[in-house]
Amino acid sequence: MRLRENKAMHGTSWIQIPSQITAVNFLRSKYQSHTDHTAFLPPYNSISGHPHCSLPSLRFLHSYLRSIVMNDVDTKPLLSSKLSNYTDAANSHQRRRRASANPSSGRPSPGRAQSFSRDFGHAAAETYLVTRLTFTLLRYLGVGYRWMTRLAALGCYALLLMPGFLQVAYYYFFSSQVRRSIVYGEQPRNRLDLYLPANSDEPKPVVIFVTGGAWIIGYKAWGSLLGQQLAERDIIVACIDYRNFPQGTISDMVKDASQGISFICNHIAEWGGDPNRIYLMGQSAGAHISACALLEQAINESEYGKRESISWSVSQIKTYFGLSGGYNLLNLVDHFHNRGLYRSIFLSIMEGEQSLQEFSPELKIQDSSIRDAVSHLPHFILFHGTSDYSIPADASITFVDALQRAGVQAKLVLFEGKTHTDLFLHDPLRGGKDELFDQLVAVIHAGDKEALSKDAMAPPRRRLVPEFLLQLARKISPF
C-alpha cells in the first residue's frame, strides 16, 4: 500500500507501508505525528493496493480520520463502526483550544471577571461532554437487557441525587474560587481544575486529585464536591483530567496523570499553593492510575535521575491517599468481567494481558530489581469500604501488605458497611460529620496548630440531599 502525502504541504512524496501494519494503524500514527493534522490527510481515492483497503473501507477511514482531526477530544481507535459526528461541538472546542494555547492563559490574572454568557457556554460544553462520555461507556459495554436495566438504574440514581448535583454544579461553573480547564500539556484532555480557598493570606497545602470512572468515563469535574469541601478548610485541590479509553489506553492515562502532577509541583505557587505540602489522591480507577504514575516516577528517578533532568520528584509528595482503588489487575479481571466491564474491553484498556503485571503496583513493588525505587515512595494511606462490590476491599488489604513488606510506610483504613459510592459521594452529600473527610484534613493539617484549631471550630458541613433520597439512591445504585 502506498500513501501520497498532501502535495501542497509536503510536495509529492511516497511512503511504503510495511505489510504487517494495517492501513488503520498507519493513518493513526501519521495523524499523531503531525502538528498540523490536516496536512497529511489524502483523498480516499489516492490510497490503493492494500489487501485491507477496499473502496468502502477507505471512504470510512477517510471520514473517520477527518472527524478526529476536527475533534481532538474524540480521537480513539477503530474499535467500533458506530461513530457519531460531533462537528459543531468540536468546532467550538477547537476555538477554545486555540484561545488557551498560550501557556500564560492558565496563569491567574488579578481582577479577571468572567461574563455570564461565557460561563453559560462553558456549562453547556461541559454538560455535552459528560453526556457523550456516558454514551461512550454504553457503546463499548454493549446495550443488551443487562445494560438497559443498569442505564435505567443510573438515570433514577442521578435523579434522586439531583438536588445535590445541581448545587455542586452551580458552584463549579460560577464560583470565583474555581479555575477551570487550565492547560497542563499538549494532548487532548490535558486540563485541570483548581479549587482555591477564599483566604489567600499564606501558602496553602495542596491535594492533587485523580478521579475515577472505570478508565472510560473519568472526568475532572467528578472531583468538584471534594474540591469545594476541602477548599472550605483552606486546602487547594487540583483535579486532573486525562485521556480515557478509547481515546487512550492505560499508558496514556498514566502519562497524562504524571504530567499533571508535574505541572502542579512546578506551578502551584502561582496560585498560592505551598510546593512543600503536596498530597496525591486517587479514587477508584484514579487511585490505580495515580499509584502507577507515582511508582513509575520513582523508578525513573532511581534509574535515570542522576543522568537526566526530571520534571517532578516523588519526594515532593508528602502522602498518597488511595480511595477504593484496585492495585492488582490480575486479581480483578474476572471480577470486572462479572460486573460488566468485559474481559476483552478491560484487556484493550490495559494494552493486553501481557501488560497486566506491568500496570499492577501491588505486583510491581515486589520486583527486587526496583527495590531502591520503592524505598523512595511516600507514606501511603488507603481507604476502602467493606461493602464495596465494584472493587472489593481485599484490593486495598493486599496492597497495604505488599507495601509494608517492601518497607514502605503504609496504613489501611476500612469503613464497615460502606459501598463504592458511600465514601466519595453519599457521605459528602449527607453533610455533617464525615469520618473519611476528617481523617484527610487531619493528615494534611498535621503540625499546623492554627489550622487544626480552625478545623475544630468549623461548622458542620451543609446537607445537600435529603436522607430519604440518599437511602433510595443507595438501594438502586448500579455501582
Side-chain angles (χ1 to χ4, degrees), residues 21-52:
I21 301 178
T22 66
V24 175
N25 290 334
F26 174 77
L27 291 174
R28 289 186 73 252
S29 66
K30 285 288 291 177
Y31 165 77
Q32 293 168 349
S33 66
H34 277 72
T35 302
D36 180 4
H37 300 316
T38 60
F40 83 92
L41 280 176
Y44 62 79
N45 58 9
S46 70
I47 309 172
S48 62
H50 193 275
H52 298 289

Side-chain angles (χ1 to χ4, degrees), residues 263-285:
F263 182 89
I264 292 299
C265 288
N266 289 290
H267 297 285
I268 196 59
E270 300 172 29
W271 284 277
D274 186 347
N276 296 315
R277 289 189 293 167
I278 297 178
Y279 300 81
L280 177 61
M281 181 176 180
Q283 187 265 340
S284 192

Side-chain angles (χ1 to χ4, degrees), residues 52-214:
H52 298 289
C53 292
S54 62
L55 188 58
S57 64
L58 291 176
R59 289 180 177 139
F60 172 74
L61 279 174
H62 190 270
S63 173
Y64 167 75
L65 286 168
R66 189 162 290 281
S67 73
I68 62 175
V69 167
M70 293 301 294
N71 187 1
D72 63 352
V73 171
D74 200 40
T75 306
K76 54 182 175 283
L78 285 172
L79 299 179
S80 172
S81 61
K82 300 177 181 178
L83 298 173
S84 302
N85 185 358
Y86 302 111
T87 304
D88 293 340
N91 288 337
S92 173
H93 171 79
Q94 288 292 82
R95 286 193 294 271
R96 295 197 307 274
R97 183 175 173 86
R98 284 192 292 269
S100 63
N102 186 346
S104 64
S105 65
R107 304 289 187 268
S109 54
R112 183 183 64 178
Q114 296 180 338
S115 67
F116 176 80
S117 60
R118 180 179 177 183
D119 283 336
F120 184 81
H122 188 86
E126 299 287 319
T127 302
Y128 164 79
L129 177 57
V130 169
T131 303
R132 199 184 71 201
L133 286 171
T134 302
F135 281 99
T136 298
L137 175 63
L138 292 172
R139 184 168 69 245
Y140 280 93
L141 293 177
V143 190
Y145 171 78
R146 181 178 181 180
W147 280 100
M148 290 295 289
T149 57
R150 291 211 172 190
L151 176 60
L154 179 61
C156 295
Y157 179 80
L159 284 174
L160 290 171
L161 300 181
M162 192 58 66
F165 290 163
L166 290 175
Q167 295 176 71
V168 175
Y170 183 84
Y171 171 85
Y172 177 75
F173 289 118
F174 301 112
S175 173
S176 61
Q177 294 171 233
V178 182
R179 302 289 186 270
R180 297 184 304 275
S181 297
I182 296 171
V183 179
Y184 69 79
E186 296 300 322
Q187 294 296 327
R189 302 284 296 275
N190 281 182
R191 305 288 187 271
L192 60 84
D193 296 330
L194 284 180
Y195 298 82
L196 306 176
N199 177 14
S200 58
D201 56 348
E202 60 184 14
K204 308 296 184 185
V206 182
V207 172
I208 302 172
F209 184 60
V210 184
T211 63

Side-chain angles (χ1 to χ4, degrees), residues 288 326-333 356 360-363 366 395 398:
H288 168 254
Y327 312 97
N328 185 338
L329 301 182
L330 290 175
N331 288 346
L332 292 171
V333 176
L356 292 180
S360 293
E362 179 185 324
L363 300 177
Q366 300 177 46
T398 56

